[in-house]
Amino acid sequence: MPQNLYVELSDKRILVAGAGVTGVAAARALIKRGAQVKVTDEKVRELEGFDLLALADVEISEFDLLLLSPGWREDHPIVISARKKDVPIINEIDLAWSLKSPTQKWIGLTGTNGKTSTVELTAHMIRTGGVSALACGNVGTTVIEAVESPEKYEFLVLELSSFQLHWLEDAHFVSVAILNIAEDHVDWHGSLDAYAADKFSLLEKSNTAILNAEDGRVVTHSAHWQGRKVFFSLDTPAPGEIGIVEELLVDRAFVADAQEAAMFCELAEVLPTVPHNVSNALAAAGLARTAGIDHEKIRAAITTFRPGRHRIETVLEKDRITWINDSKATNPHAAAASIMSALSVIWVAGGLAKGAAMGDLIERVKSRVRIAILIGADRELIAAELRSHAPQIEIIMIDAPANYQIGATDNSLMELVVRSARDKALPGDTVLLAPACASMDQFLSYADRGDRFTQAVKKVVENGN
């Protein structure tokens, strides 16, 4: 899209679709530049400090531009109307790109799982190398807020969702990474191919890509891309790749002689030392090298970094039973990686499947799961696949209490889950919340779900209530 849509914003009539974090941040940036902004949303009815329009009251021809928050689909009536009326559609990330300092550099990362931990680790590596950097985008801080920050970051490391990439057109990156591609958000995109296409559109925004050699879809979809491809894997790297040699993470891509190797760190220094976390560390190290960070600083960053909350977070170890909160495992691919990190699992799962199938997940993890405790709207999808592929696994269905309300202080649902797990757990078991589903049917967010699991474990197991 021509960048001139993002200049001379003063007095432009702009409708912002979406009253969430991204929409509000973008609206503030537009108002700051003199635009006449109105906001619309499907659910929000009041928004302090903004002129909020009901969707039914929107006349799109009255606006010069429509700024879409991520998540608004192509078939939404407001999008269809804008296209019919030739009202240009813009987005928050391209707006931020148009406003950033010419000296600020961007790194982009996407994938189905592991995005947040990897962008945070990448930014940590860059900062450890003495360069100011911030992880932003889908990770928490919006890109427009990062660009407008008084910190004036030299690098932004953007976590990019498939929704954001669907609308992104103009931004360009020093380097990008694609961690993995698995079935997710099929209900939004319409098919796995459409979802993957949006993910791989990121390659066209850079000349250098860090790519997972162990993910077949990543290898296949990047085959015809003509940029520099640096593959990473948990195997011995070929020249031009990064990977593992014996107990070391090594670089054969960003070295003077590709026949030699430089060490990133020892395998044991990546914590937790589980396969997908090591893979993410390799991806982050590759991105950090494109930012000019040396190997010693990358090692220092790896040894001091810990993943954020709700991602393979050990809540309690008691009586040789480990309780782990991986509420951020909101799709089958993420749940599988988590389950395969333990040997005997009591698996807490369920929620909103988002159109994902569960058969491949069950087939992969059935040797590790002893008991499945299922909750949520789509729990029967998981139960049906368990009965079909792994009838030896005991299934426990937990119904929400009649008086349970989303967001209320009452934590009776998760306490029922934890009590059931406690009563069944044996020494050596891992009780793992890795839902393979989104949370919004019974919780405010994946963080709320993880917090409630943690609270229930501490009350029921640690304190014995």
Side-chain angles (χ1 to χ4, degrees), residues 50-115:
F50 294 92
D51 190 351
L52 189 65
L53 278 178
L55 271 172
D57 296 333
V58 170
E59 176 46 65
I60 197 67
S61 59
E62 295 178 357
F63 295 92
D64 300 307
L65 298 169
L66 169 64
L67 187 144
L68 289 177
S69 298
W72 292 70
R73 291 164 42 148
E74 287 281 359
D75 61 359
H76 193 283
I78 200 168
V79 177
I80 294 171
S81 179
R83 297 211 187 280
K84 285 182 178 178
K85 301 287 186 179
D86 293 325
V87 175
I89 296 172
I90 61 174
N91 63 86
E92 176 253 349
I93 295 176
D94 284 335
L95 172 63
W97 176 256
S98 73
L99 300 176
K100 77 174 188 67
S101 162
T103 59
Q104 186 181 76
K105 298 175 182 178
W106 287 11
I107 287 172
L109 181 143
T110 195
T112 303
N113 299 302
K115 296 187 295 296

Side-chain angles (χ1 to χ4, degrees), residues 283-350:
L287 290 172
R289 290 293 290 139
T290 69
I293 308 304
D294 65 38
H295 296 88
E296 292 77 13
K297 297 299 184 183
I298 289 172
R299 182 178 189 177
I302 288 173
T303 60
T304 56
F305 180 78
R306 296 296 176 269
R309 294 209 56 222
H310 311 294
R311 193 73 182 102
I312 326 175
E313 178 185 14
T314 299
V315 176
L316 180 67
E317 294 178 345
K318 184 178 180 181
D319 301 328
R320 293 182 55 216
I321 298 165
T322 303
W323 299 77
I324 291 180
N325 165 24
D326 197 5
S327 184
K328 205 170 189 300
T330 58
N331 58 62
H333 188 269
S338 195
I339 293 167
M340 295 304 290
S341 299
L343 293 176
S344 178
V345 175
I346 296 178
W347 178 33
V348 180

Side-chain angles (χ1 to χ4, degrees), residues 24 34 68 73 77-78 88 121 133 143 151 169 179 197 227 250 252 304 364 367 381 388 391 396 401 416 438 464:
V24 168
L68 289 177
R73 291 164 42 148
I78 200 168
L121 176 54
V143 183
E151 295 292 329
E169 294 189 290
L179 300 181
V250 300
R252 296 189 69 187
T304 56
R364 182 177 178 192
S367 65
L381 291 175
S388 174
I396 300 172
L416 283 173

Side-chain angles (χ1 to χ4, degrees), residues 223-263:
H224 299 295
W225 180 64
Q226 296 302 306
R228 181 190 183 191
K229 289 178 272 196
V230 177
F231 285 103
F232 64 92
S233 75
L234 302 182
D235 205 346
T236 302
E241 298 179 350
I242 53 183
I244 297 179
V245 176
E246 296 179 348
E247 299 297 312
L248 304 176
L249 278 67
V250 300
D251 174 14
R252 296 189 69 187
F254 302 96
V255 288
D257 182 356
Q259 300 305 314
E260 302 295 328
M263 183 182 77

Side-chain angles (χ1 to χ4, degrees), residues 108-282:
L109 181 143
T110 195
T112 303
N113 299 302
K115 296 187 295 296
T116 299
S117 295
T118 310
V119 295
E120 289 176 343
L121 176 54
T122 303
H124 181 56
M125 289 174 174
I126 295 172
R127 289 193 297 269
T128 303
V131 180
S132 63
L134 179 71
C136 61
N138 204 43
V139 69
T141 303
T142 64
V143 183
I144 193 72
E145 288 171 323
V147 163
E148 300 216 293
S149 169
E151 295 292 329
K152 306 301 180 189
Y153 298 102
E154 295 171 75
F155 273 88
L156 297 185
V157 185
L158 277 66
E159 176 186 331
L160 295 163
S161 70
S162 58
F163 305 150
Q164 290 168 313
L165 287 169
H166 180 82
W167 298 108
L168 183 64
E169 294 189 290
D170 297 325
H172 193 80
F173 302 87
V174 170
S175 60
V176 299
I178 301 179
L179 300 181
N180 42 62
I181 298 293
E183 191 174 52
D184 198 16
H185 300 300
V186 175
D187 53 347
W188 194 93
H189 292 274
S191 69
L192 177 58
D193 285 343
Y195 168 72
D198 280 331
K199 289 288 192 182
F200 282 96
S201 68
L202 182 59
L203 293 180
E204 305 307 322
K205 308 295 191 299
S206 180
N207 297 319
T208 302
I210 314 298
L211 301 167
N212 187 351
E214 296 180 311
D215 188 296
R217 291 191 180 97
V218 171
V219 174
T220 300
H221 281 79
S222 63
H224 299 295
W225 180 64
Q226 296 302 306
R228 181 190 183 191
K229 289 178 272 196
V230 177
F231 285 103
F232 64 92
S233 75
L234 302 182
D235 205 346
T236 302
E241 298 179 350
I242 53 183
I244 297 179
V245 176
E246 296 179 348
E247 299 297 312
L248 304 176
L249 278 67
V250 300
D251 174 14
R252 296 189 69 187
F254 302 96
V255 288
D257 182 356
Q259 300 305 314
E260 302 295 328
M263 183 182 77
F264 285 127
C265 69
E266 296 182 16
L267 183 62
E269 291 174 322
V270 181
L271 296 175
T273 314
V274 294
H276 62 280
N277 202 43
V278 175
S279 181
N280 293 342
L282 287 167

Side-chain angles (χ1 to χ4, degrees), residues 26-47:
R28 287 188 177 128
L30 293 168
I31 291 169
K32 180 179 175 182
R33 287 160 178 83
Q36 300 174 32
V37 175
K38 293 188 177 181
V39 180
T40 189
D41 193 275
E42 292 185 300
K43 297 179 180 178
V44 177
R45 296 291 174 262
E46 292 183 9
L47 189 63

Side-chain angles (χ1 to χ4, degrees), residues 351-374:
L352 295 172
K354 302 175 290 182
M358 297 291 169
D360 289 347
L361 164 64
I362 303 305
E363 194 61 43
R364 182 177 178 192
V365 306
K366 63 184 181 182
S367 65
R368 304 293 180 98
V369 176
R370 196 167 68 79
I371 298 168
I373 299 176
L374 304 182

